[in-house]
């Protein structure tokens, strides 16, 4: 028998063995067992006559602690071999323990701890007993080994000696343990954890789980992160957990995702997260900021879809209960819009809609009434609240004979929102604190696709992020022609070349089509000859194909840029032609342009100023940023959320 002393500051040990949060100590002991390749772990309690917990026993069928390694294992704090190994030597499972603190945590449960462990050593199978006391936590007593033929594994017994352990006997602790081991148990189905006689079942606390590969832009040498979102049935709060490539958690942060009534944890596994600096990932770290931005975009997109699904599920349940305040199908578009608005608002009130069927029906009816303004109150509101003169009220009445009040409000709001959007684009494209973080396809592209009016109100999105062949196929379909052979249409040998947007409109007073093909570049990209060649190749794919000659169609290929090199700028400013035009094919009615965002934004703003001045609308950069966050939060880089924090 030998005593092993851990050389470490006593105050550090005192923190580890402090009798707080017994559940955390039990969780550490379970992880220790799983790190030893256990397939079965049991947590049992010895109780007194009053059902109080007097001892905690954790038993596993893992590999145990070899007698030859026990002295080393119990004499060091920190620098655990697990930190370097990362996966277990036998069954190659990811390991949780990295700091060698688990054995000390057991002393937080009681005054006396004993380990009876059986393991295979170089010369046979042996049993070893190790003991420790909270009074001297730095000293471990290791027995002489003795041969045995019993199966390998470890039994840890912690004697409480009056320590309060009642929290271990609660539903909350059971849920916490189920959450802690949910991913591990789902990944390795052969493992079972038995807590106080009951199997730990992740299904009892998981509503929905979703796994997705995040395709990084630009691509990373270490590959793409894997995002796993678990929606919990219990109120665990929300977390964004960054894990290494094996799924081991390294750091957690607030997700900063608006997802009302959802409790979830988003796990991101990626070999590029470095334990040395991953704690800085949410502070604008240059290596991690673009990745977290794309991850949060994916999470927002997921919960946007889940919110729609949940609303549909809730409305269906209300209809089943006969508490939904509408009956039958909507009679027209207006009634359908009313119902859609009601569904969204009422769904947010779900936590408050408690009680019996009658109470729910009354609450939902009141929400409906609150959303439907009384027409008889309109004139009083105009006079007493908005303080219109009698003449202005008469003007309004005459105007309402020709249009609806909601149409007037919508028109004013449309102009205001567009002016704010232009402000927001200036901020996103030109502000030094944000522009370098803006990505093309997952951010700028998605915002512009939703705001295509910036290129002209008549245009509608016909193709969004598709190959050049699909662009041309859509064109032939719009002309009512049969699609011939597009297999040979290539851009420098690449049949899968992707264009960002194709916008289409019908030219007034004719049946001619006008296609506007837009290629977007992120603000940090300076457009040079390479980018110029790309947009020219797209145009030439049309110009060089006989299928498109003679078609009564106008084509414009536009490269939108924030920064253009001086050489390309000179080519785009030739004397006698419009600014930005670099190619003009009269025969095919095809033009190729390079335009900068500043010019386009100012052009659109001038078109709106006449109405703005008469509506006395104010538009500031702050208004624009807020609009962008409300409408397109899922497409914004993280830096756009941090400026006012």
């Amino acid at each position: 028998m030998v005593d092993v002393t851990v050389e470490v500051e006593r105050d550090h040990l005192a923190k580890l063995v402090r009798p707080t949060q017994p559940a955390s100590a039990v969780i550490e002991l379970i992880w220790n067992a799983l790190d030893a390749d256990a397939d079965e772990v049991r947590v049992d309690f010895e109780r007194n006559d009053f059902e109080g917990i007097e001892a905690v026993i954790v038993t596993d069928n893992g590999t145990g602690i070899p007698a030859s390694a026990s002295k080393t294992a119990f004499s060091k704090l920190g620098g655990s071999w697990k930190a370097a190994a990362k996966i277990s030597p036998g069954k190659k499972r990811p390991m949780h323990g990295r700091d060698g603190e688990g054995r000390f945590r057991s002393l937080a449960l009681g005054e006396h701890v004993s380990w009876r462990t059986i393991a295979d050593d170089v010369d046979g199978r042996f049993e070893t007993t190790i003991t420790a006391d909270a009074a001297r936590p730095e000293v471990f007593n290791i027995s002489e080994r003795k041969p045995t033929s019993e199966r390998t594994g470890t039994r840890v017994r912690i004697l409480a000696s009056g320590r309060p352990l009642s929290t271990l006997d609660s539903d909350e602790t059971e849920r916490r343990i189920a959450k802690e081991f949910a991913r591990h148990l789902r990944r390795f189905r052969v493992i079972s954890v038995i807590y106080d006689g009951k199997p730990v079942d992740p299904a009892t606390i998981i509503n929905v789980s979703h796994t997705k590969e995040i395709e990084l832009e630009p691509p990373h040498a270490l590959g793409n992160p894997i995002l796993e979102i678990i929606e919990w049935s219990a109120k665990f709060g929300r977390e964004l957990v960054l894990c290494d490539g094996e799924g081991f958690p390294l750091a957690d942060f607030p997700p900063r995702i608006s997802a009302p009534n959802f409790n979830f944890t988003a796990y991101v596994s990626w070999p590029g997260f470095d334990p040395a600096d991953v704690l800085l990932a949410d502070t604008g770290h240059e290596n991690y900021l673009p990745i977290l931005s794309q991850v949060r975009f994916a999470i927002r997109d997921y919960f946007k879809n889940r919110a729609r699904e949940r609303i549909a599920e809730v409305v269906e349940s209300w209809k089943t209960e006969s508490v939904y305040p509408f009956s039958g199908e909507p009679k027209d578009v207006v009634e359908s819009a009313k119902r859609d608005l009601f569904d969204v608002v009422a769904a947010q009130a779900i936590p408050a809609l408690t009680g019996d069927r009658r109470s729910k029906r009354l609450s939902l009816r009141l929400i409906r009434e609150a959303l439907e303004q009384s027409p008889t109150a309109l004139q009083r509101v105009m006079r007493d609240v908005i303080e219109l003169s009698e003449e202005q009220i008469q003007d309004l009445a005459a105007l309402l004979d020709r249009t609806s009040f909601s149409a007037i409000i919508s028109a004013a709001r449309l102009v205001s929102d567009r002016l704010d959007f232009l402000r927001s684009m200036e901020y996103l494209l030109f502000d030094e604190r944000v522009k370098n973080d803006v990505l093309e396809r997952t951010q700028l592209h998605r915002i512009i696709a939703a705001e295509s009016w910036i290129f002209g109100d008549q245009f509608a999105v016909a193709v969004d992020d598709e190959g050049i062949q699909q662009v041309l196929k859509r064109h032939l379909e719009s002309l009512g022609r049969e699609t011939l052979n597009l297999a040979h249409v290539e851009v420098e040998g690449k049949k899968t070349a992707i264009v960002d947007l194709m916008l289409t409109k019908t030219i007034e007073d004719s049946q001619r089509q006008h296609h506007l093909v837009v290629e977007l570049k992120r603000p940090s990209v300076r457009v040079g000859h390479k980018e110029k060649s790309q947009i020219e190749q797209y145009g030439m794919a049309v110009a060089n194909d006989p299928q498109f000659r003679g078609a009564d169609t106008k084509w414009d290929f536009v490269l939108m840029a924030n920064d253009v090199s001086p050489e390309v700028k000179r080519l785009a400013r030739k004397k006698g032609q419009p600014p930005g035009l670099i190619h003009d094919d009269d025969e095919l009615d095809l033009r190729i342009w390079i335009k900068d965002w500043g010019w386009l934004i100012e052009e659109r703003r001038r078109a709106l100023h006449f109405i703005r001045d008469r509506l006395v609308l104010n538009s500031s950069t702050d208004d624009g940023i807020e609009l962008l966050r409300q409408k397109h939060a899922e497409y914004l880089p993280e830096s756009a959320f941090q400026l006012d924090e």
Side-chain angles (χ1 to χ4, degrees), residues 316-602:
E316 194 57 39
S317 71
W318 288 337
K319 290 178 179 178
T320 302
E321 291 183 76
S322 299
V323 298
Y324 192 59
F326 298 92
S327 59
E329 295 299 319
K331 296 182 179 65
D332 51 35
V333 176
V334 174
E335 186 174 334
S336 179
K338 284 182 181 179
R339 292 194 188 191
D340 290 344
L341 176 61
F342 170 84
D343 293 347
V344 172
V345 174
Q348 304 309 311
I350 290 172
L353 295 173
T354 57
D356 57 19
R357 186 164 147 278
R358 183 178 179 183
S359 299
K360 282 185 183 178
R361 187 191 306 152
L362 176 61
S363 298
L364 292 171
R365 182 70 187 180
L366 288 173
I367 293 174
R368 175 182 173 178
E369 294 294 338
L371 290 172
E372 295 179 355
Q373 295 182 0
S374 171
T376 58
L378 180 59
Q379 192 171 32
R380 185 171 66 254
V381 171
M382 294 295 159
R383 180 182 294 108
D384 299 340
V385 180
I386 305 180
E387 298 181 348
L388 294 184
S389 67
E390 288 298 330
E391 181 180 0
Q392 288 172 322
I393 291 175
Q394 292 302 318
D395 289 343
L396 178 60
L399 190 58
L400 290 175
D401 286 336
R402 303 167 64 184
T403 187
S404 67
F405 190 65
S406 61
I408 297 171
I409 295 174
S410 297
R413 180 60 185 266
L414 178 67
V415 174
S416 176
D417 282 355
R418 287 189 173 186
L419 286 167
D420 287 344
F421 177 75
L422 295 175
R423 285 276 191 182
S424 73
M425 288 302 294
E426 288 179 320
Y427 156 75
L428 204 60
L429 295 166
F430 303 117
D431 193 296
E432 294 294 337
R433 297 166 295 179
V434 180
K435 71 175 188 178
N436 291 330
D437 298 328
V438 178
L439 304 177
E440 287 170 30
R441 295 203 182 280
T442 57
Q443 293 175 344
L444 182 61
H445 178 170
R446 306 315 314 159
I447 293 172
I448 296 302
E451 306 282 354
S452 60
W453 61 268
I454 196 169
F455 295 107
D457 284 299
Q458 305 93 332
F459 283 110
V461 176
V463 167
D464 180 0
D465 201 19
E466 293 185 359
I468 187 67
Q469 293 183 357
Q470 187 62 27
V471 168
L472 303 179
K473 179 180 178 183
R474 193 66 56 88
H475 163 61
L476 293 176
E477 289 173 351
S478 72
L479 296 176
R481 291 187 183 181
E482 179 183 357
T483 302
L484 302 176
N485 180 18
L486 295 177
H488 62 279
V489 179
E490 300 179 358
V491 175
E492 279 202 347
K494 295 185 294 184
K495 297 180 181 179
T496 57
I498 303 297
V499 299
D500 288 334
L501 294 169
M502 183 174 85
L503 309 172
T504 300
K505 73 176 181 179
T506 300
I507 301 173
E508 291 184 15
D509 301 325
S510 75
Q511 294 302 310
R512 295 184 67 208
Q513 294 286 309
H514 182 185
H515 296 318
L516 175 63
V517 179
V518 182
E519 178 69 16
L520 305 171
K521 292 300 175 187
R522 62 187 294 182
S524 59
V525 172
R526 166 168 277 203
V527 170
H529 286 290
K530 175 184 174 183
E531 291 75 18
K532 170 180 170 289
S533 296
Q534 182 184 22
I535 194 68
E536 287 177 326
Q537 288 162 16
Y538 289 156
M540 291 304 103
V542 176
N544 295 332
D545 195 287
Q547 294 180 83
F548 305 102
R549 295 190 178 278
D552 198 13
T553 304
K554 180 178 180 180
W555 289 87
D556 279 293
F557 288 79
V558 182
L559 173 62
M560 293 303 307
N562 206 36
D563 185 15
V564 182
S565 68
E567 314 88 72
V568 173
K569 195 174 289 186
R570 281 194 295 272
L571 294 173
R573 290 182 176 176
K574 294 179 181 177
K575 190 173 181 179
Q577 67 182 27
L581 184 65
I582 61 172
H583 180 85
D584 190 353
D585 187 328
D586 288 333
E587 181 184 355
L588 194 60
D589 205 358
L590 179 148
R591 278 153 298 282
I592 302 175
W593 307 77
I594 296 178
K595 294 186 178 183
D596 66 79
W597 281 109
W599 173 86
L600 180 63
I601 289 171
E602 191 55 37

Side-chain angles (χ1 to χ4, degrees), residues 48-99:
N48 58 28
D49 294 339
F50 301 98
E51 291 300 310
I53 298 175
E54 290 192 335
V56 179
I57 302 168
V58 181
T59 309
D60 70 68
N61 65 347
T63 57
I65 306 170
S68 60
S70 58
K71 184 176 179 180
T72 302
F74 280 85
S75 64
K76 295 173 63 178
L77 176 59
S80 171
W81 65 274
K82 299 178 185 180
K86 294 187 179 180
I87 59 173
S88 63
K91 297 179 180 177
K92 308 301 180 184
R93 296 171 182 164
M95 291 191 295
H96 177 273
R98 300 290 171 97
D99 300 316

Side-chain angles (χ1 to χ4, degrees), residues 24 77 138 176 244-245 287 294 343 372 375 449 503 557 571 622:
S24 298
L77 176 59
E138 73 279 9
R176 181 179 172 189
D244 63 15
N287 293 336
Q294 293 174 73
D343 293 347
E372 295 179 355
L503 309 172
F557 288 79
L571 294 173
D622 288 343

